[in-house]
Amino acid sequence: MTQPFMKPAPKNPVLRTPQLNLPPSARGRVALGLTAAAAEGRFALQVCAECGAVQYPPREACHRCLSPDLPWQPLDGAGELLASTTLAHSNDLYFRERLPWRLGMVRLDAGPSVMVHLHGDAAAQQALPCRVQVQARLDRSGLAVLVACPEKGTPNMADDPLLREMASDPRYRKVLVTDGKSAVGQAVVHALVRAGADLVWVGHAEPWKQLPGPAGSGSAGSGPAGSGLAGLAALPQVSLVPLDVTDERSVSTLAGRIGGKVDIVVNTAELHRGFGIAARRGTDVAKAEMEVNYFGLLRLAQCFGPALKGRAADGATHATAWVNLLSVYALANFPAHGTFSASKAAALSLAQCLRAEMQPAGIRVVNVFPGPIDDEWNQNLPPPKLAPAALASAIVQALRDGVEDIYPGDVAQEWRQRWRHDPKVLERELAAGGL
Ligand SMILES: [Zn+2]
C-alpha cells in the first residue's frame, strides 16, 4: 500500500541543491499526439478511419490496412496486466536516481499491448494477470508516458512517488498567488490552503488601500463568505506581500525576498474591461490591460522564472509549476471584450514561450482558459458563467493531475470544441454576436 506523503523535514541550507536529470525526451512527430491528449488529461490512441484498428505505438500508416488516415481518439485505458518486472539497474541518469523502478506489459481492452510504468499498488499483491487502468501522464520532460494504476482507487494512491513526480500537488508546497484582491485570486488562495499548501504568499498591488471584500465586492459569485484580504490574512498559512505586476521594481523586490522559496506561481493578476475598438477613444484602457495581462506576466517570468528553474530537484517538495490565468477569449477574439481578448492572446503566446523555456528545467507551465467568469466585467453576459470557487478548484485539480491546459466550465469546453473544429467558423459566429 502507498504510504501517505508526509511533510519533509526542513532542508540543510549548507548542502548543495541537486540538479534535475530529465527522463528521455526523444519523440517522433507522430508520437507527440499522445502528449497533446495527455496535456489535457486525456488518454487517446490512433484509430484507423478505414478499418477501425487501434494503433500502438503511434505510426504513420495502419498496421493492418496501411491506411495513412489515423485520427487520435479518446479511449478508455482499461486493460489486463500480463507481466511485470522491476529494474534494479539503469544507465539512464533519471531512472538510476529513482531505482528500483517497476515496469509492466498491459493488454488494453481496446486492442494493443503497451509497455507501462507501474504504480506501486498495481499488482502489488494480486496474481497476474490482473485488471489495471492505463493513463497517459506527462513526465518531468513534459512528454506523455503510460502509467498503469490499480483498477480501483487505493488509499493514498496519488502519493505514489511515480505519480507525485509527474504532478504538482500543492500539498506542503509554498505558493505565490500574484493578485489576492480579485474574487478569483481569493478563491484560489482558499483552494490552495484547503489543498494543504504550506505557505501562500498573496500579492496585493496597493497595500495602503485595504478593501473589506473582493475588488468591486457586491458582484455575484464573489469569493466565499468572510473572505476579502482581511479574511485571507487571518489564515495562518497566508502572508500578504506587496506586488504590483505593472512595476518592475515591485516584482524584482519581491522576487529577491521570496523567489528562492516559491514552489508554485499562480498568476491571477488580470485587468478586464469590456470594450471593443469603436466603443472607446484612445488606447489608455488597452494599454492598461496589456500592462497587467501581458507585460505583467513577462515581468513575473523574468524575475521568478530563474529561481524556480534552479530548484526543480530540491527535495520532495521541489519547485514544480507555473499557472497562468488566461481566458478562452485568447483563442478567438470576442468583439464585445475586444481589447481584453487581444491582451490575453498576447499572454497566451508569451506563456507558450515560457513553457518552452521552463521545460528543460522540468517546471510545468499550466495555462487556464476559463470562459466568462461570474464577476462584474461579465455582468451583461447571459449564464452559464464560471463561479470563482469552481475556477479555483479546477486550478488545484490541474496541479494534482499534472496537466498543461485546462478549459474550466461549460462555455470554455464548448469554445474549445468549436475552435478545434474550425477556428474560422468560430470567428464568424463571434463576429455575429454569438457567444
Ligand atoms: Zn486500417
Side-chain angles (χ1 to χ4, degrees):
M1 280 296 145
T2 306
Q3 295 300 313
F5 178 65
M6 307 303 280
K7 185 174 180 176
K11 67 168 187 171
N12 182 346
V14 179
L15 297 179
R16 179 171 189 249
T17 302
Q19 298 298 297
L20 179 68
N21 284 311
L22 289 175
S25 61
R27 300 284 195 284
R29 183 166 191 270
V30 177
L32 286 175
L34 195 67
T35 297
E40 293 183 21
R42 288 180 287 115
F43 174 61
L45 292 179
Q46 291 170 299
V47 180
C48 178
E50 300 273 334
C51 74
V54 180
Q55 319 283 322
Y56 190 87
R59 39 169 69 90
E60 307 271 357
C62 174
H63 70 270
R64 191 189 290 162
C65 73
L66 293 181
S67 165
D69 191 4
L70 299 173
W72 288 86
Q73 288 187 14
L75 289 173
D76 177 38
E80 208 163 48
L81 181 65
L82 303 176
S84 76
T85 187
T86 303
L87 289 186
H89 170 80
S90 174
N91 285 333
D92 185 277
L93 289 174
Y94 176 83
F95 292 108
R96 200 183 173 109
E97 289 169 354
R98 291 163 178 78
L99 294 172
W101 191 276
R102 292 179 73 217
L103 297 170
M105 171 72 79
V106 175
R107 182 168 59 213
L108 293 172
D109 295 349
S113 294
V114 297
M115 282 282 285
V116 294
H117 301 293
L118 271 184
H119 185 284
D121 292 344
Q125 272 131 28
Q126 304 104 307
L128 296 181
C130 71
R131 301 290 300 169
V132 288
Q133 185 70 32
V134 175
Q135 307 171 357
R137 307 277 298 222
L138 299 179
D139 67 8
R140 287 305 295 277
S141 288
L143 290 157
V145 292
L146 299 181
V147 179
C149 293
E151 189 178 34
K152 296 191 181 73
T154 55
N156 315 311
M157 189 160 137
D159 286 349
D160 186 78
L162 178 74
L163 289 188
R164 266 194 65 78
E165 173 92 3
M166 295 184 188
S168 305
D169 193 339
R171 195 161 32 131
Y172 304 137
R173 284 199 159 103
K174 298 178 173 58
V175 190
L176 168 65
V177 177
T178 58
D179 181 13
K181 282 202 167 159
S182 67
V184 169
Q186 291 173 8
V188 167
V189 175
H190 281 286
L192 287 166
V193 169
R194 276 198 303 274
D198 192 34
L199 182 58
V200 185
W201 290 285
V202 181
H204 58 146
E206 295 157 321
W208 60 90
K209 215 162 67 177
Q210 296 266 355
L211 298 180
S217 60
S219 64
S222 26
S227 66
L229 273 182
L232 286 185
L235 297 171
Q237 299 90 341
V238 170
S239 174
L240 296 187
V241 288
L243 175 61
D244 179 356
V245 300
T246 66
D247 177 359
E248 189 166 343
R249 177 174 291 194
S250 165
V251 179
S252 64
T253 303
L254 185 67
R257 220 179 100 198
I258 65 167
K261 302 180 212 160
V262 175
D263 302 315
I264 300 174
V265 173
V266 185
N267 183 17
T268 55
E270 73 171 16
L271 189 77
H272 187 170
R273 298 290 181 267
F275 298 111
I277 293 171
R280 196 177 174 95
R281 285 188 62 78
T283 56
D284 290 353
V285 172
K287 275 182 183 155
E289 284 172 335
M290 288 295 274
E291 272 299 326
V292 177
N293 301 345
Y294 172 75
F295 289 109
L297 170 58
L298 182 57
R299 291 184 192 98
L300 288 165
Q302 285 178 342
C303 293
F304 283 91
L308 243 67
K309 285 159 87 172
R311 290 190 40 255
D314 191 10
T317 52
H318 53 78
T320 179
W322 183 296
V323 182
N324 294 308
L325 178 62
L326 301 174
S327 163
V328 79
Y329 303 161
L331 299 182
N333 192 291
F334 180 43
H337 297 234
T339 55
F340 173 74
S341 302
S343 71
K344 287 292 184 178
L348 167 59
S349 186
L350 191 69
Q352 290 170 335
C353 174
L354 180 65
R355 180 176 287 157
E357 292 190 4
M358 295 298 245
Q359 207 156 64
I363 303 289
R364 184 147 305 157
V365 173
V366 183
N367 287 338
V368 183
F369 299 84
I373 297 167
D374 200 354
D375 64 11
E376 63 271 35
W377 302 110
N378 294 306
Q379 191 192 348
N380 295 331
L381 294 180
K385 288 186 267 192
L386 187 62
L391 175 55
S393 302
I395 290 174
V396 168
Q397 196 57 45
L399 289 168
R400 285 179 174 154
D401 292 343
V403 296
E404 268 188 0
D405 295 312
I406 57 164
Y407 300 81
D410 296 340
V411 175
Q413 288 287 332
E414 200 211 337
W415 270 55
R416 169 66 172 153
Q417 292 303 330
R418 286 155 72 187
W419 180 81
R420 193 199 290 269
H421 181 252
D422 194 332
K424 193 71 189 171
V425 171
L426 177 61
E427 181 197 320
R428 289 302 165 97
E429 284 176 321
L430 296 173
L435 180 68

